[in-house]
């Protein structure tokens, strides 16, 4: 069973069961946020006026990762294409400590699909160097979103 989302931001998503739709996004206008099991926060960002192709979507992911690298003094864990069928999706994944000193992982992802762009910021609790970054989880989340 999944939670089907039809967003006014121009995407659909089929997130895992027990996904919480957060009523008020803390990320500002043209964003929506969803809470997934395991403390995963997914922020979907409509920024299609500044991104006009797959290469710019990659650049967007790099630009957005700067917040976690610079403001949060994070460390680059990995970056690259997610290799999903039917869409171009590029992720930059950063590890950092939150305000409470707890380890987090943030992935900024630029998605180009059907001539449209959507950006994602996916944040989850850092578990250990043996399992992070959890790219299969990230791929599943990004694969569940379709830009219309």
């Amino acid at each position: 069973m999944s939670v089907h989302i039809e967003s006014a931001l121009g995407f659909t998503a089929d997130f895992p069961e027990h996904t919480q739709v957060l009523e008020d996004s803390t990320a500002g206008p043209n964003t929506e946020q969803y809470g997934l099991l395991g403390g995963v926060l997914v922020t979907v960002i409509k920024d299609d006026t500044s991104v006009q192709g797959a290469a710019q979507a990659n650049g967007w992911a790099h630009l957005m990762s700067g917040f976690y690298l610079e403001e949060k003094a994070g460390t680059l864990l990995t970056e690259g294409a997610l290799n999903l069928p039917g869409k171009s999706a590029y992720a930059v994944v950063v590890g950092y400590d939150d305000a409470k000193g707890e380890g987090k992982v943030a992935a900024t992802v630029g998605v180009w699909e059907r001539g449209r762009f959507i950006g994602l910021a996916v944040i989850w609790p850092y578990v250990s160097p043996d399992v992070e970054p959890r790219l299969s989880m990230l791929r599943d989340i990004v694969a569940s979103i379709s830009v219309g």
Side-chain angles (χ1 to χ4, degrees):
M1 186 82 186
S2 65
V3 176
H4 183 73
I5 309 288
E6 297 269 345
S7 172
L9 295 181
F11 71 91
T12 60
D14 289 301
F15 287 133
E17 188 175 11
H18 304 296
T19 293
Q20 293 183 337
V21 178
L22 305 179
E23 293 300 319
D24 294 316
S25 175
T26 60
N30 292 322
T31 68
E32 292 180 4
Q33 291 182 311
Y34 305 93
L36 280 57
L37 289 177
V40 178
L41 176 67
V42 177
T43 303
V44 182
I45 305 149
K46 182 179 180 180
D47 195 10
D48 52 358
T49 57
S50 64
V51 176
Q52 302 300 317
Q56 288 182 351
N58 294 2
W60 184 93
H62 279 281
L63 182 67
M64 293 298 125
S65 71
F67 173 77
Y68 300 99
L69 289 167
E70 296 160 18
E71 301 295 320
K72 301 284 188 181
T75 302
L76 180 67
L77 299 177
T78 191
E79 66 176 282
L82 295 179
N83 300 319
L84 297 169
K87 65 179 84 177
S88 172
Y90 191 89
V92 180
V93 184
V94 176
Y96 70 98
D97 290 335
D98 69 8
K100 297 177 187 174
E102 297 173 3
K104 300 285 185 181
V105 177
T108 54
V109 185
V111 178
W112 186 258
E113 182 179 16
R114 295 185 201 121
R116 303 250 342 264
F117 170 78
I118 204 91
L120 301 170
V122 183
I123 299 172
W124 63 87
Y126 181 88
V127 174
S128 77
D130 297 334
V131 298
E132 298 298 351
R134 290 180 264 170
L135 295 181
S136 62
M137 178 189 72
L138 181 61
R139 278 187 195 97
D140 289 346
I141 291 169
V142 176
S144 72
I145 298 171
S146 287
V147 183

